[in-house]
Structures are given as C-alpha cells and as structure tokens.
Amino acid sequence: MELCSKFRSAQVIASVLSLLIWEILSLQAGAGGQISYSAIECRKHTALLTDFGGVGDGKTSNTKAFNSAIANLSQFASDGGAQLIVPPGKWLTGSFNLTSHFTLYIHQGAVLLASQDESEWPHLAVLPSYGRGRDAPGGRFSSLIFGTNLTDVVITGGNGTIDGQGEIWWQKFRGEKLNDTRPYLIEIMYSKNIQISNITLLNSPSWNVHPIYSSDILVQGLTILAPIDSPNTDGINPDSCTNTRIEDCYIVSGDDCIAVKSGWDQYGTKFGMPTQHLVIRRLTCISPDSATIALGSEMSGGIRDVRAEDITAIDTQSGVRIKTAVGRGGYVKDIFVRRMIMKTMKYVFWMTGSYGSHPDPGYDPKALPEITGINYRDMVAENVTYSARLEGIQNHPFTGICISNVTIGLTEKPKKLQWNCTDVQGVTSRVMPPACDLLPEKKKQTDCFFPEDKLPIDNVQLKTCYVRH
Ligand SMILES: *[C@@H]1O[C@H](CO)[C@@H](O)[C@H](O)[C@H]1NC(C)=O
Ligand SMILES: *[C@@H]1O[C@H](CO)[C@@H](O)[C@H](O)[C@H]1NC(C)=O
Ligand SMILES: *[C@@H]1O[C@H](CO)[C@@H](O)[C@H](O)[C@H]1NC(C)=O
Ligand SMILES: *[C@@H]1O[C@H](CO)[C@@H](O)[C@H](O)[C@H]1NC(C)=O
Ligand SMILES: *[C@@H]1O[C@H](CO)[C@@H](O)[C@H](O)[C@H]1NC(C)=O
Ligand SMILES: *[C@@H]1O[C@H](CO)[C@@H](O)[C@H](O)[C@H]1NC(C)=O
Ligand SMILES: *[C@@H]1O[C@H](CO)[C@@H](O)[C@H](O)[C@H]1NC(C)=O
Ligand SMILES: *[C@@H]1O[C@H](CO)[C@@H](O)[C@H](O)[C@H]1NC(C)=O
Ligand SMILES: *[C@@H]1O[C@H](CO)[C@@H](O)[C@H](O)[C@H]1NC(C)=O
C-alpha cells in the first residue's frame, strides 16, 4: 500500500516536472511552441492576423485585415471571448476598433507600423469633456487602436512594438498644417476592465495611452519612447477614470510621462467626471522639458486619491507637478507620493496656479480650482536647480501641503531662492534645504500621510493564458 502510494506520488511529481520542463522549453522555443502571458481573462478562441489576409511586409496596409478579424472575433464575445495574435513581422495599419471580451496579442517579433496616410485615420467627434480638439478647434483623428463602450479588453504581448511613425505628424503640427487633433496610439473610452501590458510604444503622433471615461484599468510593463523634443508625446494619460493601476513602466518622452486629467474648463465641469483611485508604482521617467507625473492642467472634473510610489526621474524638468488655472474649477486633492528618486532636475516640487490655455473664451473666470491635501514624503534628489516653485492662486491659496523627509542636493551653481512660494499653505518636516516660511517646519517630527489600505484595482488577479503558434 505504502509503496504503491509512494510510487504514485513519484509518478505525479515526475509528470508535473516534465510538464514544467516542457513549458519552459516551449516558452523559449519560439515558433511552434506555446507562449504564456498574464491577463485579467484568457480566451477560448484564437486567430492569427494572417487568417484574415494580413501581410507583414511593412508595406501592405493591414487596416482591413484588423477590422475584419476583430469583426469576426466579436461574435465570440458571449462564447469565451477571442484572442487575435499578431505574429512576427511588420504590419502597416491605419486606425482600427477593438471589441469586448477580446485580447490583442502582439508577438515579441511583431511591429505594428502606424500608417502615415491620413485617409487611413477616421475622424471622431470632439471629447465632450474638452469641447474641442486639443491641438485645433476642429475634430480629432481616431487613435491607432481605439475602443469605446467595451468591457474586458486586453492589449498585451511579449514586448511587441507599436511604432506610431510620428515624425510626419510632428512636422504637420509644428507647421500648423492640421485642422484636427493628432491621433493617439491607444485610446479606450466609456469602458471597463481593461489591461494594457508588456508592449513597447514608439514615436506616437501625440499622446501614447489615453483611457478616458473608463474604470478598472491595469497598465503594466510598458516601454514608451519618443524623442525628448517631440510635441505632446505624453506617456499615459488617465482622464476621467476610476480605479487605474499603472506599474513597471519606463517612459522617455517629449511631454509628461504620466498626465492625470479630467476635462477642460466649462466642458469638464459640465461633464463632471473625476479621475480617482489611481495607483502609480515603479515608474521610470526621462523628460527634460516636462513632469514625471503631471496633475492637470485639464482637471475640471476633479482629481482625487492618487497614490504614487517608487518613482525614478532622471534628467526631467520636475517631479510631481500640479498645473491649473483660474477658470478650471474642479479640484486636485488627496494626492500621496512617497519614495521618489530624482537625478538632474530643474524643479523637485512645482505647482502652478496660472497655467493658461483655455478651450475658448466661454470659460467662467470665477471658477476657481481647489487644491488641497498634497502629501510628499521620503524623497532624495540630486543635481537640482530649484528645490521648489509653489505658486498658488492669489486670495485662493493651495492648502494642506505636507512635505516630509526630503533631501535635495543642488547643482554646482544653484539658484539663490531655492523655495519660491506664493499663495500656498502647509507644513514640512526634515526637509533639506529648509522650505519657505509659508511651509514652516513642524516642531514635532511628522511623516506626511500615505494610505496603507488597498484599492479594488490592487486586488485584480491575473490568470496565466496561452498562445499556441
Ligand atoms: C510582463 O512581463 C513580465 C516579464 O516577462 C512578467 O513578469 C509579467 O507577468 C508580465 N505582465 C503581464 C501583465 O503580462
Ligand atoms: C469568421 O467566422 C466564421 C464563423 O462564424 C468562420 O466560419 C469564418 O471562417 C471566419 N472568417 C475567417 C476569415 O476566418
Ligand atoms: C470605430 O468606432 C468609431 C466610433 O464609434 C466609428 O466612428 C468608426 O467608424 C469605427 N471604425 C470602424 C472601422 O468601424
Ligand atoms: C457609449 O456610452 C456612452 C456613455 O454611457 C453613451 O453616451 C454612448 O451613447 C455610448 N455609445 C455607443 C456607441 O454605444
Ligand atoms: C522591450 O523593448 C524595449 C525596446 O526595444 C527595450 O528597451 C526594453 O528593455 C524591453 N523590455 C523588456 C522587459 O524586455
Ligand atoms: C484646414 O482648414 C482650412 C480652412 O477651412 C482649409 O483651407 C485647409 O485646406 C484645411 N486643411 C486641411 C489639412 O484639411
Ligand atoms: C526617508 O527617506 C528615505 C528615502 O526614501 C528612506 O530611505 C528613509 O527610510 C526615510 N526615513 C524615514 C524615517 O522614513
Ligand atoms: C547636473 O545638471 C546640469 C544641468 O543643471 C547638467 O548639465 C549636468 O550634466 C548634471 N550633472 C550630472 C553629474 O548629472
Ligand atoms: C518666484 O515665483 C514667481 C511665481 O511663480 C515668479 O514670478 C518669480 O519670478 C519667481 N522668483 C524667482 C526669484 O525665481
């Protein structure tokens, strides 16, 4: 009996082992094997882009192939969902739309090349919370990968690439040759349960990843690269979204690495949808003319409960930056940031209450933004030009600012006025160099608050899914 059961468990162990070895081998095998990935849902049905006439030669347009593949696979939404595999190759494509209960898997050797032919980019109406296009008062080009009114969508890969080929758009923008707002690489609207992970985004025409009016969004393992002088190539822009988790991203760009938004002036106020319950972890940012994390400037629907930790910024203009203006209305409150490392920064802390740019003259000049409950702690910075530039709104100060345990090393030729504060209120504790009089040092040593509870988006469990190819 005993022998028998011992023998049986040995057998079980052996078969588990061989299964493991087989999986490891097939993971490394590439073509002919099986690849695993992590996702919020796995899919019952699988298709390759080539099943729908896709050609990966870098020259043939695959817009039709993507659209017919996704139209076809959308019929499986209520039957276990479907995954579309983009195999190794160069796949030129214009804009296409996603569907629900769907995974787009971009293979390690696959590159989606964004078409430079404007006729491949449909026009969309302006966003209701903006009232106009961001670049120009006209409409906007659809994003390369667009989804609206969806649930349960995954865009992932083994670090496959989406190349926006943005140069031509940057030139047109600089030459004021566009009547419509440039496309983004990925935009998801009015949707929930979204995952965007383990892909590389290159040279977007404008913003890279724009979830808007959506909830339950997981963004993991993105590499986002654009020239540091490219216009408006923001990394990730959560906009009027609830429950978003952004982790393990590496971003080099010409604009803010992460820009948190919620609509623009009177349009954002009327739409009234905040960005809230946002987690940002383990972000590395390089952006010499912009912020690591910007809050605003479009924040008229409100921004609250943002938790950022373990952030690295190198050669970046500022750390966390609050951008707002009279006319915005809305609020930025309950912001928590801890454990930031910064190297070669113009500003560590920057808040601006006079950030211009209004959608049109119809904004309400009496709409004052509330900026309160801003908590920064446990930061080290070196080679800094200005420790802080904190500019609130006259007769309407930014309040509840708390900064603790921050050590700032200065450049060889630092500015004399290291903490330039106007119209702000708050406290500091163990901050070097010492802060301004408006942020007095607390007598009793204080740590600024950082919430320790988990948000619902922290409890999302990923499943192991497979791609056979
Ligand atoms: C992304 O890739 C990393 C490294 O290969 C892996 O550990 C992680 O599980 C992946 N995440 C997702 C969401 O696919
Ligand atoms: C689309 O789906 C149907 C099943 O409804 C299938 O028979 C057909 O072959 C699919 N089209 C392509 C091009 O794979
Ligand atoms: C994608 O969706 C948008 C918005 O619903 C729509 O205007 C556009 O025509 C769709 N594109 C395709 C190819 O179906
Ligand atoms: C998408 O959802 C929004 C908000 O619920 C709604 O106003 C809009 O009509 C929906 N669009 C489509 C195409 O279903
Ligand atoms: C993904 O690809 C980019 C660009 O080639 C590279 O810089 C990055 O290190 C890669 N990431 C991973 C996790 O392999
Ligand atoms: C932009 O609009 C102007 C004035 O309506 C028009 O002359 C021009 O051709 C348009 N440009 C493009 C690229 O559509
Ligand atoms: C102060 O911040 C540094 C850098 O993040 C950290 O290593 C240290 O533990 C913090 N000290 C306290 C008392 O929290
Ligand atoms: C320090 O910052 C200055 C810009 O203020 C830069 O030119 C210099 O290279 C940086 N030094 C180091 C060691 O990174
Ligand atoms: C201090 O900040 C104010 C408002 O942002 C600005 O106008 C002023 O030039 C700054 N002063 C110095 C010495 O940097």
Side-chain angles (χ1 to χ4, degrees), residues 51-52 72 75:
D51 298 342
F52 296 87
N72 189 296
Q75 65 188 320

Coordinates of all heavy atoms in Angstrom, one line a residue, residues 51-52 72 75, ligand 2:
D51 N -4.9 34.9 -40.8 CA -6.1 34.2 -41.2 C -7.1 35.2 -41.9 O -8.0 34.7 -42.6 CB -6.8 33.7 -40.0 CG -6.0 32.7 -39.2 OD1 -5.1 32.1 -39.8 OD2 -6.4 32.4 -38.0
F52 N -6.8 36.5 -41.8 CA -7.8 37.5 -42.3 C -7.1 38.3 -43.4 O -7.4 39.4 -43.7 CB -8.3 38.4 -41.2 CG -9.2 37.6 -40.2 CD1 -8.6 37.0 -39.2 CD2 -10.5 37.5 -40.4 CE1 -9.3 36.2 -38.3 CE2 -11.3 36.7 -39.5 CZ -10.7 36.1 -38.5
N72 N -15.0 39.6 -37.0 CA -15.3 38.2 -37.0 C -15.2 37.7 -35.5 O -16.1 37.0 -35.0 CB -14.3 37.5 -37.9 CG -14.6 36.0 -38.0 OD1 -14.6 35.3 -37.0 ND2 -14.9 35.6 -39.2
Q75 N -17.9 38.0 -32.6 CA -19.1 37.1 -32.4 C -18.8 36.1 -31.3 O -19.8 35.4 -30.8 CB -19.4 36.3 -33.7 CG -18.2 35.4 -34.2 CD -18.4 34.8 -35.5 OE1 -19.5 34.5 -35.9 NE2 -17.4 34.8 -36.3
Ligands
LIG2 C1 -15.3 34.2 -39.4 O1 -16.1 33.4 -38.5 C2 -16.8 32.3 -39.1 C3 -17.6 31.6 -38.0 O2 -18.8 32.3 -37.7 C4 -16.0 31.4 -39.8 O3 -16.7 30.3 -40.4 C5 -15.1 32.1 -40.8 O4 -14.2 31.2 -41.4 C6 -14.4 33.3 -40.2 N1 -13.7 34.0 -41.2 C7 -12.4 34.0 -41.3 C8 -11.8 34.8 -42.5 O5 -11.7 33.3 -40.6

